[in-house]
């Protein structure tokens, strides 16, 4: 794994290798128990499907393109909200910047 590296030294013309921890065999480092994570994820997906929400929908209804969104809403003042309007925008997320506990800026690239 990335966390263990073998250190090599030459002694009496021979190459010898030992793990940094001095144990001889290199142990592969992994995150949390992968089996438990997979089981929890599969249970979560099954719950979504049973509730009628597809886990991986094949279609996302887009109501406005990114350029049209910018054109239509660029006149809004800071902190101004349109409570009666909902839009669905799709694009490639190019960057995410957190600017506080409840504020996130997402750079979205679209057609």
């Amino acid at each position: 794994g990335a966390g263990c590296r073998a250190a090599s030294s030459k002694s009496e013309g021979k190459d010898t290798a030992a793990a940094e921890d001095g144990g001889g065999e290199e142990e592969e480092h992994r995150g949390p128990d992968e089996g438990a994570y997979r089981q929890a994820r599969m249970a979560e997906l099954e719950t979504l499907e049973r509730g009628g929400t597809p886990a991986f929908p094949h279609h996302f209804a887009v109501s406005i393109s990114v350029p049209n969104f910018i054109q239509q809403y660029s006149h809004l003042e800071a902190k101004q909200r349109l409570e009666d309007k909902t839009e669905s925008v799709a694009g490639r997320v190019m960057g995410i910047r957190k600017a506080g506990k409840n504020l996130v800026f997402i750079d979205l690239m679209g057609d």
Side-chain angles (χ1 to χ4, degrees):
C4 291
R5 304 187 113 213
S8 157
S9 64
K10 290 211 175 211
S11 63
E12 300 176 24
K14 294 181 180 178
D15 282 339
T16 58
E20 285 182 358
D21 62 3
E25 278 190 34
E26 186 174 327
E27 181 181 320
E28 188 172 334
H29 293 280
R30 293 190 176 145
D33 181 16
E34 291 177 19
Y37 171 78
R38 186 175 191 289
Q39 285 178 336
R41 180 72 176 135
M42 295 303 289
E44 182 180 335
L45 293 174
E46 188 177 311
T47 301
L48 282 173
E49 294 284 344
R50 268 188 277 138
T53 303
F56 302 102
H58 296 286
H59 179 73
F60 178 77
V62 177
S63 65
I64 190 169
S65 69
V66 172
N68 287 343
F69 181 88
I70 293 168
Q71 181 182 10
Q72 187 168 343
Y73 297 107
S74 62
H75 70 279
L76 296 176
E77 298 294 324
K79 297 187 180 182
Q80 184 179 355
R81 297 181 66 157
L82 300 176
E83 299 290 337
D84 62 333
K85 192 74 172 167
T86 300
E87 298 284 10
S88 298
V89 180
R92 181 178 295 257
V93 175
M94 302 302 290
I96 300 174
R97 297 180 312 282
K98 293 184 179 180
K101 181 179 175 185
N102 296 318
L103 179 61
V104 177
F105 293 96
I106 300 174
D107 298 326
L108 190 66
M109 184 172 76
D111 297 337

